[in-house]
Every structure is written in structure tokens, then in C-alpha cells.
Amino acid sequence: MTQSKIGLAGCGRMGEPMLAALRSAGFDALGFDIRSPQSYGDFARAVTDNARHFADHTEILVSVVRNINQTDALLFDDQALVKTATNLNTIIIASTLSPSYVRALRDQVPAHISLIDAPMSGAAIAAQEKRLSFMLGGSDADLQPLMPLFEAMGTSFHKMGSFGSGMSAKVLNNLLAASSTVMTRLVLDWADKLDLDEQSLLQLIDKSSGQNWFASAFDTIEFARDGYAQDNTIEILEKDVFSALDAAPQGVDTALPEAVIAAIRKLEPRN
């Protein structure tokens, strides 16, 4: 596996540390982003904005781009790697996207290219510390050779079933995460009005029945105090809930997820 040429597309908040983890583990990994390589400072040599160069390098593609539009651009439109990367044999979708969109990729991607969905859980700090959690969808025959790649970036691996199952699991997980985020922020806002010390309350929550991932890691999650804004991580939470709604079984009550979306949109920055 370390002899395969890895291409990681989307070298942002999560993608850049994932790329660094792969390279430090000895993988021949090259990053692609529309940003200039010079913007990465000392890491510039590991990233290209030249789609042709990236296509020529890539045998295994790890896609960490932001959304469906960027995924379409990467695979079929602007970069069109499905056509231009002639040595491409595996596509790993690590972005969080609509499960129905992900499953439909099988009809658009040539059969000789293996498809894996591997969305991850963990904020940027987890990517930097190489302890991401991956939810994996795909056949055992396709997944097993790729495990050293995932092990370079994470510590927890959950095989959820066939292609698309990892994404279904991820959007359900993220629905819970988004709910924890908005409720924790609400609790902290109420605590301010009740003259409760933030750190004391967070320590209490971490050891009590209200414990949740967001409250427990509040001081290390880089977006914990952000408000809702276009293209920031809080806005991504909204996208994730919409993806969960896309996966909702027919006829179920979606009032609670819709209330979470409304609460996300109302989040203000917290000093």
C-alpha cells in the first residue's frame, strides 16, 4: 500500500493534516487544492493546484472536498479525474455528503474503479493528532488493503456494510453531534445569565449525565465559539443535518432535525 500513489483532494482544515499524516507514515501522497501551494508555507511541496499533475500522480483518490458540487467538479467536471486520472483504481469519499448521492456514484464511475465511502468523525484537532474515527462502507475485498492508509490517519474504524453504508451512519452520527452542539451552546448561554462559571459548568457536564463530545472538548474544538456564517464549520453542521434528512426513512417525523437546523442558524459567536 505504501507503494501506491495517493492523491488527497481538498487540503483545508481537515484535509491538510490528513495529508500530513499520510506522508509522515511513508505514503507517496500528494494534495490538491485550488489554493496556491505557496499558501501552505513549508508544506507547499506536498500540495499542487495543477489538476493535470494531480491526475497523473493519483492511483488512489481520497476526496475531502466540501460538498456535492465540489465532488462533481473533482470527479466529472472541472478536474474530471474519472477521465483524466488514467491510473486511478480507487476512490475514497471521505467528505460528508448525501447518502443517496454517494450510492448513485456507482452508476457514474467505471466498474474497474473501486468505490469506498469513508467519512470521518473528529474535529481538526483529531486530524492533527492522527486519531480520526472512520465509518467505512465497501466490500471487504476493497477495504482490507486500504486499512494501513486509514490507520495512518485514525484510531477507530467501523465497517458499516456495503458502499454507502458508511455515509448513512455518518449523517446519523452527525445529526446527534449537531444536536449536542446547539444544546450545549444554549446551556452555556443560559449559564451566563444565571452567573455560572463556564469552566466549572463544563467540568461538571463532562462528569455527569449531560456529557457529550462537544461539551467535553469545548476548549479544543476550533469552531466551538463560532456563530453561524456562510462557509464556516457551523454552517457545515447545517449541511450535515440536511444530509441526515436525505437519509430519513419515508414517513418519519422530521420535526426535531428541522428544529436543530433552525437552532444552528441562530447561533451567534460566543466570546
Side-chain angles (χ1 to χ4, degrees), residues 164-187:
S165 299
M167 200 63 66
S168 294
K170 175 65 192 300
V171 298
L172 293 179
N173 174 79
N174 279 20
L175 176 57
L176 283 176
S179 304
S180 298
T181 298
V182 296
M183 188 55 71
T184 297
R185 288 285 297 268
L186 174 67
V187 164

Side-chain angles (χ1 to χ4, degrees), residues 7 11 17 27 29 45 57 86 93 128 152 155 159 178 198 242 267:
C11 298
F27 287 95
R45 67 189 184 280
H57 172 90
T86 55
I93 302 294
Q128 293 161 10
T155 55
K159 295 181 179 180
E198 177 185 280
F242 276 120
L267 285 176

Side-chain angles (χ1 to χ4, degrees), residues 47-249:
V47 183
T48 183
D49 59 358
N50 185 313
R52 180 71 262 175
H53 175 52
F54 184 72
D56 289 344
H57 172 90
T58 301
E59 297 172 347
I60 298 174
L61 172 66
V62 182
S63 176
V64 200
V65 299
R66 187 178 186 88
N67 53 34
I68 287 174
N69 287 340
Q70 291 185 10
T71 304
D72 278 342
L74 179 70
L75 297 182
F76 310 114
D77 300 326
D78 296 353
Q79 291 81 46
L81 291 182
V82 167
K83 293 182 180 179
T84 61
T86 55
N87 295 318
L88 181 64
N89 60 60
T90 301
I91 296 174
I92 300 170
I93 302 294
S95 310
T96 300
L97 305 173
S98 155
S100 60
Y101 168 83
V102 169
R103 288 191 172 93
L105 288 175
R106 185 66 281 175
D107 293 331
Q108 300 175 265
V109 173
H112 73 274
I113 298 176
S114 298
L115 280 173
I116 300 293
D117 58 312
M120 65 278 186
S121 180
I125 185 65
Q128 293 161 10
E129 296 176 355
K130 306 174 188 177
R131 53 177 179 82
L132 291 169
S133 175
F134 287 93
M135 285 136 274
L136 304 172
S139 70
D140 286 339
D142 289 337
L143 278 171
Q144 198 55 42
L146 297 170
M147 291 311 298
L149 182 151
F150 295 119
E151 289 164 358
M153 299 181 288
T155 55
S156 182
F157 316 99
H158 307 274
K159 295 181 179 180
M160 304 307 301
S162 60
F163 178 65
S165 299
M167 200 63 66
S168 294
K170 175 65 192 300
V171 298
L172 293 179
N173 174 79
N174 279 20
L175 176 57
L176 283 176
S179 304
S180 298
T181 298
V182 296
M183 188 55 71
T184 297
R185 288 285 297 268
L186 174 67
V187 164
L188 292 177
D189 288 346
W190 285 19
D192 291 343
K193 294 178 172 60
L194 295 170
D195 293 325
L196 290 174
D197 176 72
E198 177 185 280
Q199 287 302 311
S200 297
L201 182 59
L202 286 170
Q203 291 170 13
L204 165 67
I205 291 170
D206 185 51
K207 303 299 181 183
S208 303
S209 58
Q211 190 276 335
N212 65 81
W213 76 279
F214 186 75
S216 294
F218 192 80
D219 290 326
T220 59
I221 295 173
E222 72 280 1
F223 62 87
R225 298 181 182 277
D226 291 351
Y228 177 84
Q230 187 174 8
D231 294 334
N232 75 350
T233 303
I234 297 296
E235 192 263 348
I236 291 176
L237 288 177
E238 178 191 43
K239 173 183 71 70
D240 290 349
V241 179
F242 276 120
S243 294
L245 288 171
D246 179 72

